[in-house]
Amino acid sequence: MTIALQGIGIASSCPIALGPAFIDVRGRASVSQMAITPAQVDAEIARFDLAVASARHALQRVCAQIPRNMPIKIAEFIDAHLLMLEDAALLDDVRRIVTEHLCNAEWALQLQRDVLVRVFDQMDDPYLRTRRDDIEHVVQSIQSFLQTDTQEPAVDRQDLNGCVVVAYDLTPANAILLHQRGAVAFVTESGGPMSHTAILIRSLGIPAVMGIHGVTRYLHPDELLIVDGETGTVLARTDERTLHYFRQRRQALGDRQQRLRELVSRPTRTRDGVAISLLANLELPEDVHAARINGAVGVGLYRTEFLYMNRADFPNEEEHLATYTAMIAGLDGIPITIRTLDLGVDKGCEAFAHCGSTARNPALGLRAIRLCLKEPDLFQPQLRAILRASALGPVRLMLPLVTHAHELDTVLALIAQVKQQLDHDGLNYDAAVPVGAMIEVPAAALSARAIARRMDFLSIGTNDLIQYTLAIDRLDDAVNYLFDPTHPAILRLIRMVIEAGQALHVPVSMCGEMAGDPRFTRLLLGLGLREFSMQPGALLDIKEIILAADVQELQRRTAQLFAHLDETDPRYLLDALNRA
Ligand code: PEP
Ligand code: MG
């Protein structure tokens, strides 16, 4: 009978894999206490030190094997583990426990692991809590060397070609090694989507399902598994029909990915020769890699909020600059649009707590540009860093949640002041760095001309524009059903902004989710949008639609759609527009 197990899916460019199970029992073997005599203490500590050294060598070997095109962060994960393997809090205490309790090193290590894990478990910050995984991984790795008493655990020597590795837990380093030995998917008992391992697996381009408790016991070695990273499902002992279905789906997805890959180097032009810019939205510096391999010609939105999270203070100018510098270097000459801080509502941070509003309705409160203008100490270091970064490569500066044109006058005056300071400090910047505004509030869309007069570019943030126009909280499940990009009011506001840009010769981009949603590509082309910015994984899907589109025809058909907007459900009109 088929077994279906549900966990947290990690879907990458290839979300489905089939293969025989390889059950990796490392980390599951129980550790028992054994008494030793005082005369055996030195030998036991030497055995422990050897296991630590072997774990360190194994990690260093992995570091040397990281493919050059992997995101830089991967090496950082491994460096973090290497540092832990030198950490006195871990090692000295294990040696002390062996000496004082006269017990085996495995048991001492287990006791010390429990102490450290308890500390992490008490932390409120969910991100820091996931760092507990790092302790587990390092301890596991030492345990496996202690238990085998060899320099290399057996699993690391095995050929895993085509196998699905089912493990209790997986370190980032092990994920790399197992992938290099041929593993095509991972299934784990622990771990979650925020873990380093999950980030790594996504960039390896293979699927995984994490967090299935007891999975290493439910599944048998060598039985055929189906791993669906999209739905988070693992199937075993399936019938032929199910297998056939998944094989076909995998084949179809693979063929499609392959076809899309071939589009990367093609210029993005419609059938009738209109050039379109496809840009990436980035949240973390390591996303640069995904932007490049999917052929983005620039970054249309870099959300800088992540620089402020998981820390108790604000990043200073040099920290901002270091991040921007690394990203500019990774982007290799393609432009980056750095959005100034958009903190508030869902995007909070610890350091912000003291100046954040206690408003009942934070989405309408002191967030984004409003907060920055109120707190110059928060804003100025970022402005200085963005301007300094503009000396290193093509940079655009973008302002979120603009409502009034006079906010822009204030920001522009502030930017002029910061430029003067930089001149005074003898620091370089691009004097002509383009400054743009996000159009995310109905008031801004309705005043798009006034805003465009002051700005070098506009970018439509449909996520917030829809929230504010339809008066529905983006985060509230109870009203999510009303979130409708096809609402006539939204379509009219988008058209209004694009037309304002055209009239004043100010480029208009779109960086909200609508830009990366294939249902709207033809409509947006018909409305005159020429710059789309989206999460990197959507770029090639959208490109495929653009290459097949005829802008002239879409302009005509979009005008017809608008003519019927009030009497026909816009979703039907959109379906008709999408039928080629
Ligand atoms: C938007 O609102 O559309 C947008 C891109 O900004 P964010 O999703 O970061 O609010
Ligand atoms: Mg927004």
Side-chain angles (χ1 to χ4, degrees):
M1 206 181 57
T2 301
I3 292 193
L5 303 166
Q6 188 64 41
I8 301 157
I10 309 293
S12 52
S13 47
C14 171
I16 291 178
L18 287 87
F22 176 87
I23 316 284
D24 180 1
V25 290
R26 281 184 297 183
R28 208 184 73 183
S30 60
V31 172
S32 38
Q33 182 176 12
M34 278 165 32
I36 57 170
T37 63
Q40 288 172 318
V41 165
D42 285 349
E44 193 60 13
I45 288 177
R47 198 168 73 81
F48 174 66
D49 288 347
L50 181 66
V52 172
S54 302
R56 208 180 289 134
H57 280 141
L59 276 180
Q60 282 159 347
R61 268 205 328 270
V62 173
C63 252
Q65 288 176 33
I66 296 174
R68 289 173 69 89
N69 62 354
M70 291 290 269
I72 305 161
K73 190 83 183 228
I74 308 310
E76 284 174 22
F77 300 161
I78 296 174
D79 280 347
H81 286 193
L82 277 169
L83 280 176
M84 273 189 211
L85 283 167
E86 284 160 16
D87 191 339
L90 182 67
L91 308 186
D92 286 354
D93 279 8
V94 172
R95 296 185 192 108
R96 182 184 52 74
I97 295 169
V98 169
T99 315
E100 287 175 4
H101 294 235
L102 293 175
C103 65
N104 54 330
E106 287 92 333
W107 186 248
L109 180 59
Q110 190 63 17
L111 291 181
Q112 187 56 13
R113 171 243 168 237
D114 294 346
V115 169
L116 294 173
V117 161
R118 258 199 306 279
V119 174
F120 275 88
D121 279 346
Q122 280 158 10
M123 292 182 178
D124 283 337
D125 185 326
Y127 176 80
L128 280 182
R129 264 205 316 268
T130 66
R131 296 305 113 229
R132 159 199 204 281
D133 296 350
D134 293 331
I135 301 274
E136 293 277 25
H137 292 158
V138 167
V139 167
Q140 255 177 49
S141 144
I142 305 174
Q143 289 288 19
S144 64
F145 283 102
L146 276 172
Q147 285 159 7
T148 54
D149 274 334
T150 65
Q151 306 272 318
E152 199 179 359
V155 67
D156 289 346
R157 295 188 299 260
Q158 245 152 332
D159 177 10
L160 300 172
N161 214 2
C163 287
V164 173
V165 172
V166 181
Y168 175 75
D169 197 2
L170 207 56
T171 64
N174 278 342
I176 294 181
L177 279 180
L178 297 169
H179 178 57
Q180 284 177 344
R181 284 177 172 73
V184 293
F186 297 115
V187 178
T188 63
E189 295 206 12
S190 57
M194 285 220 323
S195 66
H196 286 154
T197 305
I199 297 170
L200 170 75
I201 289 173
R202 275 190 209 100
S203 62
L204 289 174
I206 61 174
V209 178
M210 302 179 116
I212 307 180
H213 298 290
V215 72
T216 51
R217 290 181 183 85
Y218 301 140
L219 300 176
H220 301 153
D222 295 325
E223 68 181 352
L224 188 61
L225 302 182
I226 300 169
V227 180
D228 185 339
E230 235 157 35
T231 59
T233 321
V234 180
L235 300 174
R237 290 157 240 169
T238 52
D239 54 36
E240 259 316 309
R241 269 182 55 194
T242 312
L243 272 178
H244 182 68
Y245 167 78
F246 276 97
R247 283 199 178 110
Q248 278 199 325
R249 240 190 100 199
R250 185 186 53 176
Q251 181 68 38
L253 284 167
D255 290 351
R256 178 163 169 71
Q257 280 303 323
Q258 193 57 40
R259 266 203 325 276
L260 288 178
R261 289 264 130 247
E262 286 163 15
L263 302 183
V264 172
S265 55
R266 274 183 59 185
T268 311
R269 279 184 184 281
T270 60
R271 254 192 312 133
D272 52 340
V274 179
I276 306 294
S277 300
L278 287 181
L279 312 173
N281 290 353
L282 307 186
E283 301 187 350
L284 297 169
E286 54 267 31
D287 297 338
V288 164
H289 176 69
R292 298 310 314 268
I293 60 167
N294 287 296
V297 295
V299 174
L301 166 64
Y302 166 41
R303 293 180 165 101
T304 56
E305 295 75 62
F306 289 87
L307 280 170
Y308 291 74
M309 293 179 187
N310 302 313
R311 55 185 295 159
D313 55 355
F314 293 133
N316 62 28
E317 179 181 331
E318 296 306 323
E319 285 174 79
H320 276 288
L321 185 61
T323 304
Y324 305 154
T325 305
M327 292 182 78
I328 290 168
L331 287 167
D332 207 16
I334 64 172
I336 177 167
T337 309
I338 305 178
R339 177 174 76 181
T340 60
L341 184 58
D342 184 10
L343 277 190
V345 204
D346 56 324
K347 289 177 260 178
C349 74
E350 266 180 67
F352 162 68
H354 79 280
C355 58
S357 72
T358 50
R360 280 178 189 214
N361 218 333
L364 304 182
L366 198 58
R367 59 170 288 207
I369 195 67
R370 303 169 184 182
L371 175 67
C372 287
L373 288 176
K374 178 105 191 305
E375 301 278 340
D377 289 350
L378 182 70
F379 199 24
Q380 288 218 7
Q382 183 173 36
L383 283 183
R384 280 178 62 97
I386 296 175
L387 284 168
R388 287 175 65 189
S390 72
L392 308 171
V395 167
R396 304 198 299 179
L397 187 154
M398 185 160 78
L399 307 163
L401 210 81
V402 170
T403 315
H404 279 275
H406 68 64
E407 286 170 320
L408 297 176
D409 295 334
T410 313
V411 178
L412 289 173
L414 203 60
I415 292 174
Q417 210 179 314
V418 169
K419 285 181 177 172
Q420 275 179 4
Q421 286 169 6
L422 293 175
D423 288 335
H424 177 264
D425 298 342
L427 295 167
N428 292 334
Y429 61 90
D430 170 10
V433 62
V435 180
M438 286 187 74
I439 306 293
E440 316 186 80
V441 179
L446 293 164
S447 325
R449 279 177 178 247
I451 293 176
R453 268 197 194 96
R454 291 164 168 83
M455 294 282 103
D456 299 308
F457 66 95
L458 304 180
S459 185
I460 308 174
T462 49
N463 310 340
D464 276 317
L465 186 62
I466 297 169
Q467 145 163 281
Y468 292 118
T469 307
L470 304 185
I472 43 160
D473 188 336
R474 252 165 101 165
L475 305 174
D476 186 347
D477 283 349
V479 288
N480 247 346
Y481 71 99
L482 289 169
F483 196 90
D484 179 12
T486 64
H487 191 296
I490 303 297
L491 300 183
R492 289 196 172 107
L493 288 175
I494 292 173
R495 183 173 64 170
M496 194 175 273
V497 178
I498 295 172
E499 284 177 355
Q502 286 167 342
L504 294 167
H505 304 290
V506 172
V508 176
S509 161
M510 179 179 284
C511 62
E513 292 302 298
M514 260 180 101
D517 187 331
R519 288 175 301 159
F520 304 116
T521 313
R522 286 165 63 83
L523 173 77
L524 294 170
L525 286 172
L527 282 175
L529 191 75
R530 300 292 175 258
E531 203 174 287
F532 296 64
S533 191
M534 64 201 74
Q535 53 110 347
L539 282 163
L540 294 175
D541 283 309
I542 301 299
K543 185 166 184 174
E544 189 181 41
I545 299 173
I546 292 173
L547 294 177
D550 182 316
V551 161
Q552 292 229 333
E553 181 208 334
L554 286 175
Q555 271 165 345
R556 190 177 46 75
R557 290 176 65 184
T558 303
Q560 279 169 5
L561 180 149
F562 270 77
H564 293 95
L565 211 48
D566 288 328
E567 68 257 23
T568 315
D569 185 329
R571 285 169 301 184
Y572 298 137
L573 296 172
L574 192 64
D575 282 350
L577 182 73
N578 285 337
R579 280 195 289 275

